[in-house]
Amino acid sequence: MAWLRLSINSLLLVALAGLCGPLRDSAVMAQDRAVDPLPSWNEGKSKAAILEFVRRTTKEGEADFVPLKERIAVFDNDGTLWPENPIPFEVAYSLDTARAMMTAKPELKERPAYKALAEGDLAALGDNHLKLLMELIVATHADQTTAEFDKSVAQWIATARHPRYQRLYSDCTYEPMQEVLRHLRANGYRTFIVSGGGQDFMRVWADKVYGIPPEQVIGSAFKLKYDLVDDRPTLRILPEIALIDDKAGKPVGIRHFIGRTPVMCFGNSDGDQQMLELTTIGRTPSFGLIVHHTDAEREYAYDAHPKSSGKLVTALQAAPRRGWVVVDMKADWKRVFADPK
Amino acid sequence: MAWLRLSINSLLLVALAGLCGPLRDSAVMAQDRAVDPLPSWNEGKSKAAILEFVRRTTKEGEADFVPLKERIAVFDNDGTLWPENPIPFEVAYSLDTARAMMTAKPELKERPAYKALAEGDLAALGDNHLKLLMELIVATHADQTTAEFDKSVAQWIATARHPRYQRLYSDCTYEPMQEVLRHLRANGYRTFIVSGGGQDFMRVWADKVYGIPPEQVIGSAFKLKYDLVDDRPTLRILPEIALIDDKAGKPVGIRHFIGRTPVMCFGNSDGDQQMLELTTIGRTPSFGLIVHHTDAEREYAYDAHPKSSGKLVTALQAAPRRGWVVVDMKADWKRVFADPK
């Protein structure tokens, strides 16, 4: 009976929502409890913590109610919204693009970085190769216009496939986290990416893949130079770093780009520890969450591996003291990816 | 009769809007033609150009219709939304704050910059003093936490008064431009500030004064350093520039912070020329507007004065060729400021 009453209420609310067009405050959606907003999550502490925090920060009258304007949630990208193995996907973009550059200009093979790439050495990402790798990342990001870079990324993301999953990289996002993004937005939270990856790289596809528009994507960035070229406004990407949006750079990026402290923060590595601190320490209500990669079978299992780009040691140690939710990917997630398209 | 029918429709629309709460797409407001959205503007080409552009970019079915997500308008601040005379208001903040610092620490008077300030020399802002002035600007912005700076600006903006108008600086905004901001937002445009001024300075009061939230305020910025101090997340402002958001820095700021090209751009000086170019050249539909300060009686009259911080020479020359609307403040604005509060 209670269920029936709830459904009729929901129908009325949906009808009203249809009449009024899109509502700024999606309170209507929030009240529709008949549908599980996180179906890819197993029941447990992690799922309950997310749902309960969203409920009490979005229900007027609750002590922890957060006004609409302040409902900001920040997400790391690599390892939090999609995998970062066997190599971060933006590095895969750089290596694929550098290979294409070698085909077009064979003389590049004489340079050590391209030579290592041609011989397959760089795939291992060994410490000795970090400098060579950086050279290829800069070469495939800078010394071109923003329009050229955007076009190149768009072509890659539409065609390149993940070596293990054999599907488009953009089809490798974590479905449980996509559900969290959608659930937060349905409750009036604005979702931002705050990533160590390149913001220009992510902005090309983040709206389509995550529903996150360019102005809500913060990441590392190269310096730019504006000029009129042939009387056309042109932004050229310089081979100099403007911001490394990682570790202590993440709170800096949040202050520069958002100018408010988030209410919720989602990460997966020590590189996210500082923005988890910024979001949660001394602030009520606030929410911090770490995705712990514990599932070698369906995805990857790692934390303290010294060479992992997503090393998780100090943040994991701090989690209990800071009250951060630690998601056990293997136990907490019913499935990792959506069915292939 | 037509007027009566229109009024009844408007009443119905207003009633419906009240029923449905705030609408994301304020198409309802846009259709309410009974009320002049720009009452502080005299009838003429400038006013007509603004209204007509908004109409045809927000009416579905028009060739120039712009989807909601892409409706972005950028505004310079000093000289475009409020005056920049007798000195830019943020410089006034710096001088007032430096004076207070001298009272607290009299030994500062031994330094040339503070000595000049104490003797009243800096008020003239002569070329010889630019270096000294910069020293005071850095001293009153950097070497403190962001929380300390925000508090200091909040206190100043709540109390300091403009020397000529004898009212709070925040009561010196141009009412005709406030009307443009409101009209654009009522039609689904998001309004951003893109200013040479400090973004941290503006973000303290821009939401209250202009209805523009912190995440839509882009400006010049100092570098920041994140640390846990006494186990509290702390951002310290360093005496080093991160971005000068002026001239060619404005298109750079727009790419970094918004990641989309605006559809409308409003400025008043050569410092805005590059973002006017970025917005309008080769892009349809697009809109560029320059506020020309022609009204010495009610405000200030200036353009080519070599020492003016709002020098307007090359942008004014380019305006006819680029199709930018040039607002003649004296002729186009019925009033400059709202009545004092």
Side-chain angles (χ1 to χ4, degrees), chain B residues 6-219:
Chain B
L6 198 63
S7 287
I8 290 173
N9 282 342
S10 300
L11 275 175
L12 278 173
L13 286 169
V14 168
L16 190 66
L19 191 74
C20 297
L23 296 177
R24 184 181 291 270
D25 186 345
S26 302
V28 169
M29 298 290 289
Q31 287 166 31
D32 184 356
R33 299 269 173 234
V35 177
D36 179 359
L38 303 180
S40 299
W41 291 71
N42 287 316
E43 300 306 319
K45 280 184 189 172
S46 299
K47 177 174 179 172
I50 297 167
L51 291 175
E52 172 54 18
F53 186 84
V54 172
R55 192 199 62 76
R56 67 189 159 88
T57 53
T58 56
K59 195 176 170 191
E60 224 146 341
E62 287 276 347
D64 283 346
F65 178 76
V66 176
L68 206 50
K69 278 185 171 187
E70 292 164 28
R71 285 184 212 159
I72 288 180
V74 293
F75 292 78
D76 171 57
N77 182 42
D78 298 310
T80 299
L81 296 178
W82 73 4
E84 55 192 341
N85 278 299
I87 53 173
F89 296 180
E90 189 170 0
V91 175
Y93 164 75
S94 280
L95 300 188
D96 286 351
T97 306
R99 277 187 207 99
M101 286 163 67
M102 267 196 291
T103 307
K105 285 176 76 175
E107 66 269 28
L108 283 174
K109 276 181 204 150
E110 287 158 32
R111 297 196 199 172
Y114 293 87
K115 191 164 176 286
L117 177 64
E119 291 165 3
D121 276 3
L122 275 172
L125 286 187
D127 285 343
N128 295 339
H129 285 132
L130 268 184
K131 216 187 125 201
L132 299 182
L133 178 64
M134 266 315 290
E135 187 186 328
L136 295 181
I137 289 175
V138 173
T140 52
H141 282 69
D143 290 324
Q144 58 188 318
T145 68
T146 51
E148 288 164 347
F149 178 74
D150 291 353
K151 193 179 159 193
S152 164
V153 173
Q155 282 172 347
W156 181 83
I157 200 86
T159 53
R161 283 171 187 272
H162 189 278
R164 173 173 167 188
Y165 299 113
Q166 284 301 318
R167 56 166 96 174
L168 295 178
Y169 285 99
S170 56
D171 286 336
C172 293
T173 63
Y174 302 136
E175 186 59 15
M177 295 306 288
Q178 291 272 21
E179 291 169 1
V180 171
L181 288 172
R182 289 191 290 264
H183 182 56
L184 292 187
R185 289 196 293 257
N187 284 279
Y189 274 92
R190 273 176 296 160
T191 52
F192 285 72
I193 289 176
V194 178
S195 167
Q199 64 181 27
D200 286 345
F201 176 78
M202 295 181 284
R203 283 169 171 181
V204 171
W205 45 263
D207 201 2
K208 195 176 159 201
V209 172
Y210 297 129
I212 299 181
E215 62 272 20
Q216 288 169 215
V217 176
I218 301 164

Side-chain angles (χ1 to χ4, degrees), chain B residues 216-282:
Chain B
Q216 288 169 215
V217 176
I218 301 164
S220 298
F222 287 90
K223 288 188 181 174
L224 300 170
K225 188 175 180 302
Y226 171 83
D227 254 322
L228 279 183
V229 177
D230 298 331
D231 204 43
R232 290 276 150 162
T234 305
L235 285 162
R236 204 163 173 81
I237 306 172
L238 305 180
E240 293 167 55
I241 299 294
L243 170 70
I244 296 284
D245 189 50
D246 199 26
K247 299 191 174 70
K250 291 202 175 194
V252 171
I254 288 169
R255 167 83 182 184
H256 275 319
F257 283 75
I258 311 179
R260 310 180 190 257
T261 308
V263 176
M264 304 183 79
C265 178
F266 300 79
N268 80 299
S269 78
D270 292 349
D272 304 313
Q273 185 167 353
Q274 290 80 357
M275 73 169 175
L276 282 160
E277 292 169 356
L278 179 82
T279 304
T280 62
I281 296 179

Side-chain angles (χ1 to χ4, degrees), chain A residues 173-237:
Chain A
T173 63
Y174 302 137
E175 187 59 15
M177 296 306 290
Q178 291 272 21
E179 291 170 1
V180 171
L181 288 172
R182 289 192 290 264
H183 181 55
L184 292 187
R185 291 195 293 256
N187 284 278
Y189 274 91
R190 274 175 297 162
T191 53
F192 284 73
I193 288 176
V194 178
S195 168
Q199 64 181 27
D200 285 344
F201 175 78
M202 294 181 285
R203 282 171 171 180
V204 172
W205 46 263
D207 201 3
K208 196 176 159 202
V209 172
Y210 297 129
I212 300 181
E215 61 272 21
Q216 289 170 213
V217 176
I218 301 164
S220 298
F222 288 89
K223 288 188 181 172
L224 300 171
K225 188 174 181 302
Y226 171 82
D227 253 322
L228 279 183
V229 178
D230 297 331
D231 204 42
R232 290 276 149 164
T234 305
L235 285 162
R236 205 162 173 82
I237 306 172

